[in-house]
């Protein structure tokens, strides 16, 4: 059974009573991913799905912007860069490991853009807190990577700094350009 899930229609995060701790950051990213796609008025479910679709079709950023009716291109640009970095560049081990975990599965889970976004955000929250000498296992908890793990579904090694930079860019863009929109969402 799931420990938590996000309901996009009701825009609600559900955490189970006994197993929900540590899942809030993951589900919060699904909520943000959905909120941003609502703002960008695309027909798909999450912004990360839209960007992945554009990236996997090998569409450059300028063309992707024309194909996505975004009110604020700087946020889309940062999402685009993150998804491109994860899926196309050889910078990250993260995607290769996720594909390995999905290799024998009919329904892919680990390598789905929305899930990779949510898991990398869990890592980001843990790392951001750690850099401030803080811990909050209610927000996020991820298992430690073991040397015997053939594939690990979270960022590690050189992926860590890249993920931190990408998320810092995303949240700086949101902070700098979407303050009024966030205020509007919170009041609705």
């Amino acid at each position: 059974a799931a420990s938590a899930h996000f309901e996009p229609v009701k825009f609600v995060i559900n955490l189970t009573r006994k197993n929900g701790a540590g899942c809030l950051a993951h589900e919060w990213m699904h909520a943000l991913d959905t909120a941003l796609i609502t703002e960008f008025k695309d027909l798909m479910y999450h912004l990360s799905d839209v960007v992945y679709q554009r990236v996997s079709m090998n569409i450059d950023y300028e063309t992707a912007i024309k194909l996505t009716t975004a009110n604020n291109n700087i946020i889309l640009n940062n999402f685009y860069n993150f998804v491109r970095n994860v899926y196309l560049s050889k910078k990250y081990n993260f995607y290769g490991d996720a594909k390995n975990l999905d290799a024998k599965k009919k329904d892919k889970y680990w390598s789905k853009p929305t899930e990779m976004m949510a898991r990398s955000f869990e890592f980001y929250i843990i790392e951001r807190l750690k850099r401030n000498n803080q811990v909050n296992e209610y927000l996020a908890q991820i298992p430690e990577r073991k040397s015997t793990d053939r594939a690990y579904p979270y960022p590690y090694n050189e992926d860590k700094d890249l993920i931190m930079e990408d998320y810092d860019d995303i949240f700086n863009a949101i902070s700098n350009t979407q303050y009024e929109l966030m205020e509007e969402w919170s009041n609705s």
Side-chain angles (χ1 to χ4, degrees), residues 126-171:
I126 290 169
E127 191 64 24
R128 178 65 50 222
L129 288 168
K130 189 185 301 181
R131 291 179 183 189
N132 290 313
N133 296 317
Q134 298 174 325
V135 174
N136 187 326
E137 292 180 351
Y138 189 78
L139 287 176
Q141 341 178 3
I142 58 178
E144 291 292 321
R145 184 172 186 266
K146 298 177 186 119
S147 60
T148 56
D149 289 341
R150 292 179 357 149
Y152 182 68
Y154 295 93
Y156 63 94
N157 293 342
E158 60 274 1
D159 292 354
K160 289 182 174 187
D161 289 335
L162 297 168
I163 293 283
M164 295 303 290
E165 288 174 28
D166 283 345
Y167 272 110
D168 284 344
D169 290 345
I170 289 169
F171 288 110

Side-chain angles (χ1 to χ4, degrees), residues 1 7 12 19 26-27 38-39 44 47 64-65 67 69 101 112 119 126 128 134 138-139 148 162 180:
E7 294 180 28
V12 170
N19 297 320
H26 183 103
E27 300 307 327
T38 301
E39 170 60 15
M44 292 185 75
L47 182 57
I65 290 296
L67 293 171
T69 57
L101 288 167
K112 285 171 59 177
R119 284 194 321 279
I126 290 169
R128 178 65 50 222
Q134 298 174 325
Y138 189 78
L139 287 176
T148 56
L162 297 168
E180 291 175 17

Side-chain angles (χ1 to χ4, degrees), residues 114-131:
T114 56
E115 295 305 327
M116 290 189 66
M117 195 89 187
R119 284 194 321 279
S120 62
F121 183 66
E122 289 177 74
F123 163 78
Y124 176 79
I125 290 296
I126 290 169
E127 191 64 24
R128 178 65 50 222
L129 288 168
K130 189 185 301 181
R131 291 179 183 189

Side-chain angles (χ1 to χ4, degrees), residues 57-101:
M57 294 184 328
N58 212 15
I59 295 175
D60 61 50
Y61 173 69
E62 289 74 25
T63 306
I65 290 296
K66 291 175 188 170
L67 293 171
T68 306
T69 57
N71 292 333
N72 192 327
N73 294 349
I74 195 163
I75 294 173
L76 182 62
N77 182 37
N78 284 292
F79 263 76
Y80 180 87
N81 288 336
F82 176 82
V83 173
R84 186 190 62 218
N85 286 344
V86 169
Y87 286 96
L88 291 183
S89 78
K90 302 299 180 207
K91 291 180 178 180
Y92 288 100
N93 296 315
F94 184 36
Y95 179 53
D97 279 3
K99 279 180 27 181
N100 288 341
L101 288 167

